[in-house]
DNA sequence: ATGTAC
């Protein structure tokens, strides 16, 4: 069967290609693409986009539904931010829970948990409800304050839907597979039956929760910077882009697992690494790439491998001048654990235009 | 990525 598939990755692991081919072998898979940062995941590689007919596959969206980026331009002076970077860094850790931490009390939110299915509602209650709103999480989630080529200060966040999205993903992956082996295979839900509709409803709610989460953090971070610098955020220019979601387009269900939505003219944010910062991009709406781009640089070293093979001294050396946690515990996030972001950006010149390159001043991690 | 089990 000739299905439309395009691979933008230059060096691809065999196991990632096998996962992609296996997914594309499903009868409901219509069209697929692998972004330049693609690497092995479970079920579907990270950096894959697959369009399906009449079916949604929870494992193709993954655990962190709504994981994505926000970028907010501001009028803070870069000299002020640099001069107060240590204070701002500490203030953010005071205001934003990181890692497994959440707020002591629930945070006000316009979202209504009654809009979730019974299953989604239970995941929400079990996973700390609105206490999780405005919390960063762990792994590769981060907060970055940086300046672009014109000296403008941006606040950039990578975070997701925290526990609630994870709970929703887990429960629907279990229902779809019909077994406890939820990470194997490509189990779909019909979009027109109750379970499929339930997944789409709850996934959509989790996307909104993830955005509300990033916005709440943005408010706290802008507050932290404002304690030391004059200026304000340009909220009308906030960019929000998911890289783990499924959306309907032209009668297809497009699954993005670690791939940024990049319609023509759509603004996006592609993070590189702790040292090289992030790119503000504008989508080209390339249909071969299923209207997508990469969601980052992509790993070259697994987390364990990075901690084994890299040296903390080298990490500290390369991060000089940036206020960040640079230590043994964050060594798996070293720039050396990722592909060269500049090369990845070159490989997707037909997918996005680069508008700005934001280089880090402060980086906050879980 | 998350939070559970060791």
């Amino acid at each position: 069967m000739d299905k439309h598939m395009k691979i933008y990755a230059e060096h691809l692991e065999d196991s990632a290609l096998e996962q992609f081919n296996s997914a594309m072998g499903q009868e409901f898979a219509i069209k697929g693409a692998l972004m330049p940062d693609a690497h092995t995941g479970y079920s579907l590689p990270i950096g894959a986009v697959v369009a399906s007919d009449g079916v949604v596959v929870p494992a193709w969206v993954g655990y962190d539904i709504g994981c994505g980026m926000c970028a907010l331009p501001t009028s803070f002076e870069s000299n002020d931010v640099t001069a107060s970077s240590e204070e701002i860094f500490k203030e953010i850790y005071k205001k934003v829970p990181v890692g497994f931490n959440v707020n002591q009390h629930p945070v006000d939110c316009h979202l209504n948990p009654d809009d979730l299915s019974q299953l989604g509602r239970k995941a929400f209650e079990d996973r700390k409800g609105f206490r999780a709103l405005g919390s960063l999480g762990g792994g590769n989630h981060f907060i970055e304050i940086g300046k672009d080529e014109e000296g403008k200060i941006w606040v950039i966040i990578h975070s997701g839907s925290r526990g609630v999205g994870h709970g929703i993903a887990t429960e629907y992956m279990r229902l779809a597979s019909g077994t406890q082996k939820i990470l194997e295979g490509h189990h779909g839900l019909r979009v027109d039956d109750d379970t499929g509709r339930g997944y789409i409803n709850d996934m959509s709610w989790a996307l909104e929760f993830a955005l509300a989460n990033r916005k709440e953090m943005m408010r706290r971070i802008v507050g932290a910077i404002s304690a030391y610098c004059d200026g304000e955020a340009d909220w009308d220019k906030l960019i929000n882009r998911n890289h783990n979601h499924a959306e309907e387009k032209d009668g297809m269900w497009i699954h993005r697992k670690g791939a940024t939505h990049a319609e023509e003219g759509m603004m996006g944010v592609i993070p590189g690494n702790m040292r090289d910062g992030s790119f503000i991009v504008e989508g080209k709406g390339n249909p071969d790439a299923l209207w997508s781009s990469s969601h980052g640089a992509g790993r070259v070293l697994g987390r364990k491998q990075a901690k084994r093979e890299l040296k903390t001294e080298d990490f500290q050396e390369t991060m000089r001048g940036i206020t960040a946690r640079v230590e043994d515990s964050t060594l798996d996030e070293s720039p050396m654990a990722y592909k060269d972001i500049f090369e990845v950006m070159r490989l997707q010149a037909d997918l996005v235009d680069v508008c700005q390159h934001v280089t880090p001043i402060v980086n906050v991690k879980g």
Side-chain angles (χ1 to χ4, degrees), chain A residues 253-305:
Chain A
W253 275 89
I254 299 182
H255 301 71
R256 293 190 177 86
K257 191 180 199 182
T260 306
H261 198 181
E263 301 283 346
E264 186 173 1
M266 184 182 260
M267 298 304 291
V269 189
I270 300 176
N273 61 58
M274 286 175 82
R275 178 194 61 206
D276 298 319
S278 304
F279 292 85
I280 308 297
V281 299
E282 184 177 334
K284 291 189 165 184
N286 189 320
D288 287 339
L290 280 86
W291 309 276
S292 308
S293 70
S294 94
H295 80 314
R299 283 193 165 274
V300 282
L301 299 177
R303 291 188 183 282
K304 281 178 199 160
Q305 198 187 359

Side-chain angles (χ1 to χ4, degrees), chain A residues 328-365:
Chain A
D328 292 347
S329 71
T330 52
L331 189 53
D332 52 347
E333 285 294 317
S334 162
M336 287 82 106
Y338 286 91
K339 289 184 193 175
D340 177 358
I341 185 61
F342 300 99
E343 178 61 20
V344 169
M345 296 311 290
R346 277 194 287 277
L347 290 170
Q348 54 188 341
D350 291 339
L351 314 191
V352 286
D353 280 325
V354 174
C355 301
Q356 288 295 340
H357 177 201
V358 180
T359 51
I361 299 169
V362 173
N363 177 291
V364 168
K365 279 190 168 301

Side-chain angles (χ1 to χ4, degrees), chain A residues 7 15 24 47 51 72 75 81 89 106 131 155 190 215 217 230 243 285 331 360 363:
Chain A
I7 294 175
S15 54
M24 291 308 297
L72 181 65
S75 63
V81 174
F89 175 78
R131 284 196 297 138
V155 182
R190 302 268 343 152
K215 275 188 180 169
M217 278 185 276
D230 291 330
H243 47 234
L331 189 53
N363 177 291

Side-chain angles (χ1 to χ4, degrees), chain A residues 98-159:
Chain A
V98 304
F100 292 122
N101 298 314
V102 295
N103 302 287
Q104 265 189 309
H105 303 289
V107 174
D108 282 340
C109 184
H110 68 285
L111 290 169
N112 186 354
D114 292 337
D115 292 337
L116 287 160
S117 72
Q118 200 178 356
L119 176 163
R121 178 72 196 232
K122 187 175 185 316
F124 174 77
E125 302 294 349
D126 287 351
R127 312 291 187 107
K128 302 169 187 166
F130 286 127
R131 284 196 297 138
L133 205 77
S135 67
L136 182 65
N140 56 9
H141 288 175
F142 69 88
I143 293 162
E144 176 177 289
I145 303 169
K147 71 170 173 180
D148 69 18
E149 291 128 280
E150 285 144 35
K152 185 180 280 294
I153 292 288
W154 292 74
V155 182
I156 294 177
I157 298 177
H158 179 215
S159 184

